Amino acid sequence: MRFTRRSVKDSVWRRLRLPLGVGGALLAGMLTACGGDDKDVAADGPDFARQGDFPSTYQPDEAAPVLIRGATLLTGTGEKLLKADLLLKDGKIAAIGDELKAPRKGLVIEGAGKWVTPGIIDVHSHLGDYPAPAIESSQDGNEMTSPNTAQVWAEHSVWTQDPQFALALAGGVTTLQILPGSANLFGGRGVTLKNVPGRSVQDMKFPGAPYGLKMACGENPKRVYGGKGSLPSTRMGNVAGYRQAWIEAAAYKEKWENYYINGGDAPDRDLQMETLAGVLNGDILVHNHCYRGEEMAIMMDIAREFDFQISTFHHAVEAYKVADLLAENNVCAAMWADWWGFKHEAFDMTEANIAIVDQAKACAMIHSDSAVGIQHLNEETAKAMVAGQRAGFEIQPRHAVTWMTRNPARALGIDDVTGTLEKGKMADVVVWSSNPFSVYAKAEQVFIDGVLMYDRNDPARQPHSDFELGILDAEGERLPEGGER
């Protein structure tokens, strides 16, 4: 299943999809009448995603080649390689094999006893939008002023100095999606970041990663707005809100497509509708906070009604109840290992949840939604793996590692460039002190695009944000009089 990077033909079809109920034959006729080939039409179609408005400015530093020699590799493709070598060069994975030649200039890591995995990817984080310290003036993740705030973008709240980014890096996290909160039916756009220091959030943006749209089911929106005496105050009110918004988005999309085909006066831009139309043409991925099984089934019905694809259900505590439907509809589920029971809709949980979804051939993964949990996603994955084994499933580390690497990459639409150890992919790599599914394992070195971003044995390679200066020994950090030590 792929959510992005469609074939040109598919891209054209989706960009110019006609109003519901109009046939494909008519579309083909209109394309011919326009006199252009598929590529031209796609390039000229409405750009609802607006990737170019706040483009990624991330540029990895140049790095010398790195050879990790004789380690145990969990590739994320289902393989476990013993005493294998891994060569990183020019920001990419250059080779995997035995007795690879050491680079003339570069770093050689003796990997005996160590394990290597792809960098961990967290599809659900609020770092930067809810930074540390958690004070009211910096809580910028939930625009709780309307059930539909699809027009807001999480990246515009990210405080890049949040010290929690570096803590996640020390846990092996190389990529993360920052999402708005879940108070609203439509919370706004999420953004995928490389876990690197950045002066601006654009310096952290994962190049080419599609945007996500945060949606929310269940208790949160109906509690927030029902408490204000407005729609929605019930789950049926939630569903009415989704459907009404998608009707308006389809009309907005049609208006812009007609303009591009027939000319005339350009329609007025509407930031809220623009995001929803971006979902309808397949350029923005839906990430849907949803706990209960029957609500996930309803959301998949809504997606069919309005012809869009849900990427992932988040916090899917009851995903095991609809695992076959998830597989059938190509929808991923992001779950916790054992975090449940904190509210009514989160109560009917099994710790074998991830394993059951996985065994149904659906796309299963771990996620955090926590500034602490993100630092230990290898341990959370281990707990889910063991719970599955206790339930009778045959699950080995070489497969479980996909729950924290390959499958999250798939959910974010970036699995063709990261998430596995394969030649040509981004050199986002973690060197672990031992089996990463042991409680004693620690991420010793973390590479992002082949650059050593964290080294547990080198304080100079342990990034700190400016804000952390306040919790260090300020007097001890000051230069002596005269400025020399």
Side-chain angles (χ1 to χ4, degrees), residues 6 10-11 14-17 46-49 253 257 276-284 307-308:
R6 305 174 301 275
D10 185 46
S11 176
R14 294 186 68 85
R15 278 186 180 279
L16 292 182
R17 187 182 299 130
D47 176 17
F48 300 119
K253 177 171 172 285
E257 289 170 347
L276 300 186
V279 171
L280 294 178
N281 76 0
D283 289 338
I284 296 176
D307 197 16
F308 65 87

Side-chain angles (χ1 to χ4, degrees), residues 11 27 38 50 52 60 106 235 266 285 319 331 340 381 424 439 459 483:
S11 176
L27 172 62
D38 287 358
R50 296 272 174 175
R235 283 183 164 82
L285 310 179
V331 178
W340 63 281
T381 303
V439 294

Side-chain angles (χ1 to χ4, degrees), residues 45-116:
D47 176 17
F48 300 119
R50 296 272 174 175
Q51 285 275 5
D53 286 0
F54 300 91
S56 169
T57 55
Y58 166 67
Q59 289 287 340
D61 293 336
E62 290 187 10
V66 178
L67 177 65
I68 304 168
R69 189 157 54 189
T72 299
L73 271 56
L74 299 178
T75 64
T77 62
E79 289 186 295
K80 176 183 177 182
L81 305 178
L82 302 176
K83 298 181 180 178
D85 297 349
L86 178 67
L87 178 63
L88 314 181
K89 189 176 180 182
D90 299 328
K92 307 290 185 185
I93 295 173
I96 301 173
D98 299 324
E99 300 183 357
L100 297 180
K101 186 177 179 181
R104 188 179 305 173
K105 293 183 179 178
L107 176 65
V108 176
I109 298 173
E110 296 300 337
K114 304 182 190 303
W115 292 49
V116 178

Side-chain angles (χ1 to χ4, degrees), residues 20 243 247 300-308:
L20 300 173
R243 298 179 74 210
I247 289 170
M300 287 186 277
D301 287 341
I302 294 171
R304 272 192 295 276
E305 180 183 5
F306 294 98
D307 197 16
F308 65 87

